[in-house]
Amino acid sequence: MTHTHDVVVVGAGLAGLVATAELLAAGRRVTLLDAEPAASLGGQAFWSFGGLFLVDSPEQRRLGITDSAELALADWFGSAAFSDDGSDRWGRAWAEVFVDFAAGELRPWLHGQGVRWFPFVQWAERGGYLADGHGNSVPRFHVTWGTGPGILEPFVRALLDARRAGLADVRFRHRVTSLVTTDGRVTGVRGEVLAPSDVERAVPSSREVVEPFEISASHVVVATGGIGANHDLVRATWPAEAGRLPQRMLSGVPDHVDGSGIAAARTAGAAVVHEDRMWHYPEGITNHSPVWSQHGIRILAGPSSLWLDADGHRLPVPLFPGFDSLGALQHITTRGDDHSWFVLDKTILGSEFALSGSEQNPDLTGRSVPQLLQRVLPGAVGPVEAFAEQSDEFIWADTPAELAARMNALTGTDRIDAAELERTIVARDRQVASGLGKDLQVTATAMSRRFVVDRLIRVAKPHRLLDPAHGPLLAVRLSVLTRKTLGGLHTDLEGRVLRPDGQVLPGLWAVGEAAGFGGGGVHGHRALEGTFLGGCLFTGRTTGRAVAATL
C-alpha cells in the first residue's frame, strides 16, 4: 500500500503528540504512526511521575523559593559539562532556549490547556558539589496534578478531536522499519502492518507481520524515543570509562523503546551524536506486579538513608540519596557490581520513600485530595507499604547482625560483614546524637529540613537508626534501572535532522528522546530532573511549528 501525505509523525508518545497537535492547530493534515496498539497511546509519558522543571513559578514563589532563568541556566551548564570541541553546539543552543521556555511560556501554555500542579515543589538532583557543579540550587521539580496522564490529556484530546473531524489519520500497529529517500531527501516511510492486538497498555505486543506498507510524505518527524529497553544496545554504548553495566538490569520503560527509529534515520543518512550519554538510575527495585519485561520501579528517597555498595561500604560524598543519580550509578558500575543497598529504619521509610510513576502515585494520578492528605500522616503511603510487604528486596531486622545475614541470604554471598555494618551505623548515629556533626550526609539532611516541603513531607527528623523507637531496621537491594537516552539524532534549533557533515537532511525532523531532547543532547553529560517531559514538550512544540511554517 502506497499513500501520499503532507506530514508523517512516527511515534505516538508525548513528543509526537505535541508535534502533531501543533501541526493540526496550524491547519495541516497529519498521519500519525505507532507500532503499538491504541491502548498504549501516549507512550512512556503515561507512566511518568509527571514532574516538570519550571523556573520562577508561582508555586516556587509561594514557598519562598528565589529562582531565576540565570540561576537555572548556570545549574544546567554546571550539570551538562558541555564539550568545547563543537559537538555540543546544538545541544547547548537548545539548553539556552529551553531554560528561557521553562522560565517563561511553558507553565502558562500548559495552564491554558487545563494542566495544574501539586503546590509542594520537590527538590530533585541536589548535586552536593560546588556552586558551579552539578545539581539544582533550588527546588524546581513540579509534579503535575494527574501525573503523566495529566500532561498527556490536552494533546490526546486534540488528536482525537482532529481524528473525528477527519484531519488526522492515526494508524496503530504500523511499525516503521526504514525511511524512503529520493535524491538526498527523505520522502516517506516504509514498514510493516502488525497483527491486531488487544493487550493492555505497555504489555509486550505481537510482532506478527500482516503486510508491508509505504507512505510518501513531504516531511517525516521521528518521535520514536530512545533505547532504554534494548539492554544489549545500552550495554554496548555505555562509556568504557564509566565501568561496566551489569547483565542483570531492570527496565524503566516498555519493551518497544528499542532505538529502532534512531537506527532507521541513521541508515537514511542522519547523524547520531553522543550515543554513550545516558541517564539510568541506580535505585531500581523489581516491580512486584510487572507490566512489561524486567519491569522496575525507581525509589525516590529522601536524604537520610545510608547508601552502601555491594560490600557494605558507604558511597563517597556527595553520593547520598537524591543528590547525584548518575554519579552514584557510575560509582557502582565502575566497581562492576549489579546492586547496592539503602539501609534505614521504619520511620525513614514512612517519611522519605516515594516511588516514581503514575501507577505508584494513585492520589496524584487520580487527583484525589482525601488520598493526598494521607501523605502527611505517619507511615508510608500505600504503594510503598505494598512493596515493603510484598517485595523480597525489602529486608527487615531488629539488629545489624540479623540485617547483614538476611542481606547476604538475598544475594547468595557473604559480602556484608555484620560487625562492619554495625560500626557504620553506630558511627553515623554518633554524628546525629551530637546535634551538629561533621558527617556531610548528616549535615546535608539537617539543611534539607530548612525547606518547608522537605520538613513537612520528605525528610524525617534526624534520629539514631539504632533507636528502638524508630525500628525495625530495613535494607533495600537496589538494581540498575534503564531509562533515558541523552544523545540522539543531531538537530538544529528547528528540529531539522542533520547529516554527519552538519548539513540539513531535507524532509527529516526529530523530537523528544530520539533527538536527545533537542540538538542530539540538550542535557550534555548530566540532567536535571523534570527536563525529560519538558524536553518532549518543547521539542514537539518547536518542531511542529517549524514544520507547519515550512508547509
Side-chain angles (χ1 to χ4, degrees):
M1 298 183 296
T2 303
H3 305 280
T4 301
H5 300 262
D6 288 335
V7 184
V8 170
V9 176
V10 186
L14 178 60
L17 288 173
V18 175
T20 299
E22 292 294 337
L23 285 158
L24 293 169
R28 312 304 181 191
R29 291 181 179 271
V30 182
T31 298
L32 178 63
L33 308 178
D34 198 279
E36 295 308 298
S40 288
L41 181 63
Q44 292 174 244
F46 178 89
W47 299 96
S48 75
F49 199 16
L52 289 178
F53 177 95
L54 299 176
V55 178
D56 193 25
S57 69
E59 289 78 15
Q60 286 176 302
R61 293 194 292 271
R62 281 194 290 268
L63 293 169
I65 299 168
T66 301
D67 199 7
S68 67
E70 292 78 15
L71 180 61
L73 189 61
D75 286 347
W76 194 294
F77 283 175
S79 300
F82 287 120
S83 301
D84 295 325
D85 60 7
S87 64
D88 280 319
R89 172 194 171 193
W90 290 112
R92 186 192 301 268
W94 273 95
E96 291 173 346
V97 293
F98 176 77
V99 170
D100 283 343
F101 181 61
E105 293 183 67
L106 175 54
R107 187 185 183 281
W109 173 57
L110 292 176
H111 191 276
Q113 299 184 71
V115 179
R116 299 294 184 268
W117 293 272
F118 181 51
F120 284 176
V121 183
Q122 306 293 300
W123 200 341
E125 284 300 302
R126 298 168 190 255
Y129 299 93
L130 299 180
D132 57 355
H134 170 63
N136 281 297
S137 297
V138 297
R140 298 190 176 105
F141 192 76
H142 295 65
V143 178
T144 302
W145 189 231
T147 63
I151 290 179
L152 284 167
E153 269 182 13
F155 307 105
V156 171
R157 183 170 60 245
L159 176 70
L160 298 181
D161 288 347
R163 190 184 194 185
R164 283 189 289 269
L167 300 176
D169 182 3
V170 185
R171 304 185 190 184
F172 298 104
R173 305 300 284 158
H174 279 62
R175 178 175 63 181
V176 171
T177 56
S178 63
L179 304 182
V180 180
T181 58
T182 306
D183 298 328
R185 179 184 181 89
V186 172
T187 55
V189 298
R190 293 191 186 98
E192 301 163 337
V193 179
L194 303 179
S197 173
D198 59 359
V199 299
E200 296 181 1
R201 180 184 291 275
V203 173
S205 59
S206 166
R207 287 304 185 255
E208 178 188 350
V209 176
V210 174
E211 61 184 351
F213 75 89
E214 181 173 331
I215 300 177
S216 297
S218 300
H219 299 275
V220 174
V221 180
V222 177
T224 52
I227 67 172
N230 189 338
H231 288 191
D232 289 340
L233 183 56
V234 167
R235 277 187 286 265
T237 50
W238 182 250
E241 63 271 18
R244 176 183 57 82
L245 285 173
Q247 285 299 119
R248 185 185 67 84
M249 296 194 295
L250 304 176
S251 282
V253 295
D255 293 52
H256 59 80
V257 185
D258 59 4
S260 57
I262 297 174
R266 190 207 305 265
T267 301
V272 181
V273 294
H274 306 311
E275 293 177 88
D276 61 345
R277 297 182 187 175
M278 305 173 220
W279 190 260
H280 306 308
Y281 293 110
E283 315 102 323
I285 51 175
T286 303
N287 192 344
H288 58 74
S289 302
V291 177
W292 54 79
S293 304
Q294 299 164 295
H295 189 172
I297 300 294
R298 184 194 177 201
I299 295 176
L300 304 173
S304 299
S305 299
L306 289 175
W307 199 339
L308 310 181
D309 63 28
D311 291 315
H313 305 136
R314 289 178 71 178
L315 268 60
V317 172
L319 304 182
F320 315 133
F323 280 69
D324 180 3
S325 296
L326 190 61
L329 174 62
Q330 291 178 345
H331 178 78
I332 292 163
T333 57
T334 300
R335 286 173 45 87
D337 294 327
D338 69 355
H339 70 280
S340 60
W341 300 93
F342 281 158
V343 170
L344 57 153
D345 59 27
K346 187 174 183 180
T347 295
I348 294 173
L349 175 75
S351 298
E352 299 193 7
F353 265 35
L355 300 171
S356 182
S358 57
E359 82 283 16
Q360 301 298 330
N361 295 275
D363 49 354
L364 291 163
T365 302
R367 301 180 174 99
S368 171
V369 173
Q371 281 186 296
L372 187 64
L373 291 175
Q374 295 179 13
R375 289 183 179 250
V376 301
L377 300 176
V381 295
V384 173
E385 289 281 9
F387 267 91
E389 294 173 2
Q390 299 179 43
S391 174
D392 293 337
E393 297 178 307
F394 282 65
I395 300 169
W396 297 94
D398 291 321
T399 66
E402 182 185 0
L403 190 66
R406 293 182 177 178
M407 294 163 73
N408 286 332
L410 178 63
T411 59
T413 69
D414 58 358
R415 297 179 69 173
I416 305 298
D417 180 84
E420 182 63 26
L421 177 62
E422 182 167 9
R423 282 194 293 271
T424 297
I425 295 174
V426 168
R428 177 263 183 201
D429 281 0
R430 288 197 190 104
Q431 295 289 300
V432 173
S434 74
L436 294 171
K438 63 182 180 182
D439 185 298
L440 286 179
Q441 183 174 1
V442 171
T443 58
T445 302
M447 185 69 177
S448 298
R449 288 177 55 83
R450 291 183 56 188
F451 176 44
V452 61
V453 173
D454 282 349
R455 187 169 64 251
L456 290 175
I457 64 171
R458 283 294 287 156
V459 183
K461 186 176 180 180
H463 61 272
R464 294 185 303 110
L465 292 177
L466 295 181
D467 183 345
H470 296 281
L473 293 170
L474 170 64
V476 183
R477 184 178 69 172
L478 310 173
S479 301
V480 175
L481 179 74
T482 62
R483 184 66 65 84
K484 296 298 180 186
T485 309
L486 298 188
L489 295 171
H490 208 186
T491 66
D492 65 10
L493 271 181
E494 290 188 324
R496 297 181 298 179
V497 174
L498 306 177
R499 297 189 180 104
D501 63 3
Q503 298 301 305
V504 170
L505 177 56
L508 187 61
W509 311 70
V511 296
E513 192 173 356
F517 302 96
V522 69
H523 297 100
H525 291 85
R526 270 181 167 82
L528 297 173
E529 292 287 2
T531 58
F532 301 124
L533 290 177
C536 290
L537 291 165
F538 187 51
T539 56
R541 180 180 192 253
T542 300
T543 301
R545 293 181 178 186
V547 177
T550 300
L551 287 168

